[in-house]
Amino acid sequence: MLRQLQLWDVDRSEHGWSVRQSERARRLSVRVFRNGGVEIVVPPHTPPRRVSEFVSQHREWIERQRQRAAPAAVWPLPPQLLSLTAIGEQWRCTVLAGPARASLREIAEQELQISGRLDDRERLRRQLAGWLVERAQRRFEGPLRALAAQMAVQPGRLQVRCQRSRWGSCSRQATISLNACLLFQRPEVLRYLMIHELSHLRHMNHSARFWAEVAQHEADWKVLDRELLHGWRRVPSWIFT
Ligand SMILES: [Zn+2]
């Protein structure tokens, strides 16, 4: 179980920072993503003071890693083009500037119109991220059900989220969660992740038997799994910052 927490004492003006509580974490750790985002993973019941201490101890290292990642962090918002590689769609984004709050709508096949004020970056970001979730929900459902039928498993509902912590999961109630950022991966990678999560319906772990199940449906799983490790490089950084 995972929970997104507020970033207690860390300067709120720092975009792209998050603190995630993980039931499985034994100690504090930090990850710096290719888009410059920073995630602190903490065990349950970690006092906020401990998080602040941890951040100040590692701040220098974190900043160094962020600088290294910086070139990827200059994605324009709104983007001119949204390449949803996984589903073979290229959405053009046209802009109609105006005094109203920014809003977004589909005006033609693979064409989005963003109208209103463009200076409210956070609102724009949220609207676009919300649209990605809807798009993924609509387009992931069919392939997921088709794969499930081939694998003779019965998933529950599909839940799509836009999050930085994980690509997908499968709950004990058989709910399959997929990350909307999978839209930016190759189709083969999306298919692999669906197979991975559906295989959890047979094995709720990452045992040898689990991987054997995955391999039955995707011989190339090792390569695809590794590709997903670096998959954040393909995700435009504005999604989280
Ligand atoms: Zn897994």
Side-chain angles (χ1 to χ4, degrees), residues 168-169 196-197 200 205-206 210-211:
S169 64
H196 180 120
E197 300 310 339
H200 278 313
N205 49 44
H206 292 116
F210 165 81
W211 290 115

Coordinates of all heavy atoms in Angstrom, one line a residue, residues 168-169 196-197 200 205-206 210-211, ligand 1:
G168 N 2.5 0.1 -12.7 CA 1.3 -0.6 -12.6 C 1.2 -1.4 -11.4 O 2.2 -1.6 -10.7
S169 N 0.1 -2.0 -11.1 CA -0.1 -2.9 -9.9 C -1.3 -3.7 -10.1 O -2.2 -3.4 -10.9 CB -0.1 -2.1 -8.6 OG -1.2 -1.3 -8.6
H196 N 2.4 -8.5 -17.3 CA 3.0 -8.6 -16.0 C 1.9 -8.5 -14.9 O 1.8 -9.3 -14.0 CB 4.0 -7.4 -15.8 CG 4.7 -7.4 -14.5 ND1 6.1 -7.5 -14.3 CD2 4.2 -7.2 -13.2 CE1 6.4 -7.4 -13.0 NE2 5.3 -7.2 -12.4
E197 N 1.1 -7.5 -15.0 CA 0.1 -7.3 -14.0 C -1.0 -8.4 -14.0 O -1.4 -8.9 -13.0 CB -0.6 -5.9 -14.1 CG 0.3 -4.7 -14.0 CD 1.3 -4.7 -12.7 OE1 1.0 -5.4 -11.8 OE2 2.3 -4.1 -12.8
H200 N 0.0 -11.4 -12.2 CA -0.1 -11.4 -10.7 C -1.5 -11.9 -10.3 O -1.6 -12.3 -9.1 CB 0.0 -9.9 -10.2 CG 1.4 -9.5 -10.1 ND1 2.4 -10.2 -9.4 CD2 2.1 -8.4 -10.5 CE1 3.5 -9.6 -9.5 NE2 3.4 -8.4 -10.1
N205 N 3.3 -12.4 -6.4 CA 4.7 -12.1 -6.0 C 5.6 -12.1 -7.2 O 5.0 -12.1 -8.3 CB 5.1 -13.3 -5.1 CG 4.8 -14.6 -5.7 OD1 5.0 -14.8 -6.9 ND2 4.2 -15.5 -4.9
H206 N 6.8 -12.0 -7.0 CA 7.8 -12.0 -8.2 C 8.6 -13.3 -8.1 O 9.8 -13.2 -8.3 CB 8.6 -10.7 -8.2 CG 7.8 -9.5 -8.6 ND1 7.6 -8.4 -7.7 CD2 7.1 -9.2 -9.7 CE1 6.9 -7.5 -8.3 NE2 6.5 -8.0 -9.5
F210 N 6.1 -16.9 -11.1 CA 5.5 -15.7 -11.7 C 6.2 -15.4 -13.0 O 5.5 -15.2 -14.0 CB 5.6 -14.5 -10.7 CG 5.3 -13.2 -11.3 CD1 4.0 -12.8 -11.6 CD2 6.4 -12.4 -11.8 CE1 3.7 -11.6 -12.2 CE2 6.1 -11.2 -12.4 CZ 4.8 -10.8 -12.6
W211 N 7.5 -15.3 -13.0 CA 8.2 -15.0 -14.2 C 8.0 -16.0 -15.3 O 8.0 -15.7 -16.5 CB 9.7 -14.7 -13.9 CG 9.9 -13.5 -13.1 CD1 10.4 -13.4 -11.8 CD2 9.6 -12.1 -13.5 NE1 10.5 -12.1 -11.4 CE2 10.0 -11.3 -12.4 CE3 9.1 -11.5 -14.7 CZ2 9.8 -9.9 -12.5 CZ3 9.0 -10.1 -14.7 CH2 9.3 -9.3 -13.6
Ligands
ZN1 ZN 4.9 -7.1 -10.3

